[in-house]
Amino acid sequence: MVSNLLKGVNLYLIGMMGVGKTTVGRLLAQQLGYGFLDTDDVIVKAARKSINEIFADEGEAAFRQLESDILAQVCAYTKLTIATGGGIVLKQENWGYLRHGLIVWLDAPVEILLRRLAEDETRPLLQDSHPEDKLRSILKQRQSLYSQADIHITITETETPEQIATRILKVIPSVLKTQDSQQQN
Ligand SMILES: Nc1ncnc2c1ncn2[C@@H]1O[C@H](COP(=O)(O)OP(=O)(O)OP(=O)(O)O)[C@@H](O)[C@H]1O
Ligand SMILES: O=C(O)C1=C[C@@H](O)[C@@H](O)[C@H](O)C1
Ligand SMILES: [Mg+2]
């Protein structure tokens, strides 16, 4: 069983907004018998404001600080699947926290992200007159950061969240094996 191999190591899901980190993360947690946390949700609950309101009232930098504070606290716990906000990769200090666990990059073409987020007004960075251009420029800026993940999963249009979760669980053993052998060298 994958959960035996993981020995409580946390799973962190990273990737662009709309790719499915929250949706797939919840399923992974269920399948592993792990707890589930979403850094965006934790921030919204703690601040008692929506992400749009935090960005508008306090600015993106304040939001990013809250995100780092949460990540710092979360990595003290084990047996968690953590869906992160799309911009978690931007701060160098966050990588120190993410590296406590196994990092999974959920990747999808911009066309899929756009379709999923078309009606959604909860992502402040996408409240733009050219959301497609905005998504492309954000992805360009972050691609090399996301690619530092331990596992890279590129999803297709028709794949269900359950199928994506199953695919991630299948790859985990091979990644753990590589990490073990690196530690022995
Ligand atoms: N495999 C999938 N197939 C179809 N729709 C999906 C899939 N995964 C997620 N969705 C839908 O896409 C939207 C975005 O998903 P989700 O909120 O999980 O993304 P996210 O990566 O957590 O985004 P954010 O970074 O903004 O928090 C939701 O409406 C969700 O229901
Ligand atoms: O990609 C991003 O920068 C963001 C993604 C969301 O998860 C939220 O964290 C917020 O809307 C910012
Ligand atoms: Mg999310």
Side-chain angles (χ1 to χ4, degrees):
M1 279 234 338
V2 182
S3 48
N4 292 340
L5 287 173
L6 268 174
K7 299 190 181 109
V9 165
N10 292 340
L11 283 189
Y12 291 93
L13 294 179
I14 66 170
M16 288 288 284
M17 51 191 124
V19 75
K21 302 178 295 294
T22 301
T23 314
V24 173
R26 210 171 258 132
L27 288 172
L28 278 173
Q30 276 169 13
Q31 294 189 23
L32 288 168
Y34 269 29
F36 175 71
L37 252 175
D38 185 304
T39 59
D40 285 336
D41 284 351
V42 176
I43 291 173
V44 166
K45 285 198 181 104
R48 297 195 196 156
K49 282 183 184 182
S50 69
I51 294 181
N52 277 329
E53 286 167 336
I54 300 172
F55 268 64
D57 297 349
E58 293 150 53
E60 181 173 347
F63 176 83
R64 299 289 174 217
Q65 190 53 52
L66 291 171
E67 205 167 48
S68 293
D69 293 346
I70 283 159
L71 207 57
Q73 289 175 31
V74 158
C75 72
Y77 298 87
T78 58
K79 291 187 85 178
L80 289 176
T81 298
I82 298 126
T84 62
I88 203 107
V89 295
L90 293 170
K91 271 196 172 187
Q92 186 57 40
E93 68 175 273
N94 290 349
W95 283 93
Y97 303 128
L98 294 169
R99 291 260 172 248
H100 285 259
L102 210 58
I103 310 167
V104 181
W105 173 22
L106 281 189
D107 187 15
V110 164
E111 292 72 21
I112 295 184
L113 305 178
L114 257 183
R115 267 196 288 280
R116 292 213 186 136
L117 297 172
E119 310 286 304
D120 194 317
E121 293 177 354
T122 62
R123 274 82 172 176
L125 294 178
L126 276 199
Q127 306 312 301
D128 191 279
S129 48
H130 298 287
E132 176 167 1
D133 294 346
K134 191 73 196 277
L135 268 179
R136 287 195 194 285
S137 89
I138 293 175
L139 179 58
K140 200 169 163 204
Q141 181 202 7
R142 296 182 185 167
Q143 199 143 24
S144 64
L145 298 168
Y146 289 140
S147 72
Q148 297 179 69
D150 301 302
I151 295 173
H152 180 186
I153 300 280
T154 304
I155 63 164
T156 59
E157 178 84 66
T158 52
E159 239 177 334
T160 64
E162 287 79 7
Q163 287 170 327
I164 297 164
T166 303
R167 199 140 67 86
I168 294 170
L169 292 173
K170 243 190 193 158
V171 199
I172 287 174
S174 62
V175 178
L176 289 174
K177 227 184 261 167
T178 317
Q179 291 188 338
D180 279 353
S181 66
Q182 277 168 357
Q183 274 161 15
Q184 281 159 19
N185 289 332

